[in-house]
């Protein structure tokens, strides 16, 4: 009787190897051969799941996105049923920053992927809808909690740019997590006003 292959498990094995290679050696080291060696499988098996390097890169980013979504979902659930817009936004953005080793590994992959897509418009196109959805969500939170003089759409673009910039400097070790979080809080103060002091 032929052995049953668990394709989901095998794809997860390859994905884990891909992420390890990308996090330890950079995306430029990701190849069918390197990923196969890290996973302990043949190059042919990797090619069965990913026909091209672009497919592997897109999958790597999807893994990072799924991990980020899981982290953000857990953190937001811990806030309770009705968090204030500022609190929700701060929690979400803080979870997306590379503040610990797990998030730094994912952040290195995401940053390398963005550089990879800079010269591959077809691959970059897959990110446009996700970016637009994230901006729309952030703008909605800003619109429901910021002052009447704030343009939510422009503020969302600026806040996302601040978060991405903080992430790059954190990955480069330019300053500690506390500095990044303080800078994020300052930006949120500009939009929502200072957080009330605890009684």
């Amino acid at each position: 009787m032929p052995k049953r292959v668990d394709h989901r498990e095998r794809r997860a094995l390859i994905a884990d190897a891909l992420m390890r290679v990308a996090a330890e050696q950079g995306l430029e080291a990701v190849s069918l051969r390197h990923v196969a060696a890290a996973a302990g499988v043949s190059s042919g098996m990797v090619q069965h799941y990913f026909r091209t390097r672009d497919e592997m890169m897109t999958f790597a980013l999807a893994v990072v996105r799924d991990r980020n979504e899981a982290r953000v979902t857990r953190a937001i659930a811990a806030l309770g049923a009705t968090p204030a817009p500022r609190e929700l936004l701060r929690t979400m953005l803080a979870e997306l920053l590379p503040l610990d080793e797990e998030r730094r590994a994912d952040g290195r992959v995401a940053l390398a992927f963005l550089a990879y897509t800079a010269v591959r418009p077809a691959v970059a196109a897959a990110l446009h809808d996700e970016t637009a959805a994230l901006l729309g969500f952030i703008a909605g939170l800003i619109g429901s909690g910021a002052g009447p003089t704030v343009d939510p759409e422009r503020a969302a673009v600026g806040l996302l740019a601040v978060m991405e910039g903080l992430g790059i400097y954190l990955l480069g070790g330019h300053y500690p997590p506390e500095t990044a979080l303080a800078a994020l809080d300052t930006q949120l103060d500009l939009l929502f006003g200072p957080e009330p002091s605890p009684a």
Side-chain angles (χ1 to χ4, degrees), residues 93-180:
L93 296 180
E95 284 298 321
L96 295 174
L97 287 173
L99 299 173
D100 56 35
E101 191 45 50
E102 181 184 351
R103 285 181 281 179
R104 278 192 290 275
D106 287 350
R108 286 191 291 270
V109 172
L111 181 60
F113 185 86
L114 289 174
Y116 182 81
T117 61
V119 292
R120 291 169 178 80
V123 180
L127 296 177
H128 293 173
D129 289 344
E130 290 177 24
T131 302
L134 181 58
L135 284 170
F137 182 74
I138 293 172
L141 289 175
I142 292 171
S144 65
T149 60
V150 174
D151 180 321
E153 283 75 27
R154 288 185 181 177
V157 170
L159 192 56
L160 188 57
V162 166
M163 187 205 70
E164 295 289 353
L166 290 173
I168 290 169
Y169 282 108
L170 282 166
L171 289 172
H174 296 280
Y175 40 66
E178 299 78 29
T179 301

Side-chain angles (χ1 to χ4, degrees), residues 6-28:
D6 186 334
H7 292 287
R8 184 179 299 173
E9 185 178 307
R10 192 163 281 176
R11 192 174 173 91
L13 172 76
I14 294 169
D16 182 60
L18 189 160
M19 296 300 290
R20 282 200 316 277
V21 171
E24 293 166 11
Q25 302 173 47
L27 271 186
E28 62 278 1

Side-chain angles (χ1 to χ4, degrees), residues 25-51:
Q25 302 173 47
L27 271 186
E28 62 278 1
V30 170
S31 67
L32 295 173
R33 184 172 55 82
H34 286 133
V35 171
V41 300
S42 69
S43 294
M45 181 183 292
V46 176
Q47 227 167 354
H48 175 74
Y49 292 97
F50 304 103
R51 292 168 298 168

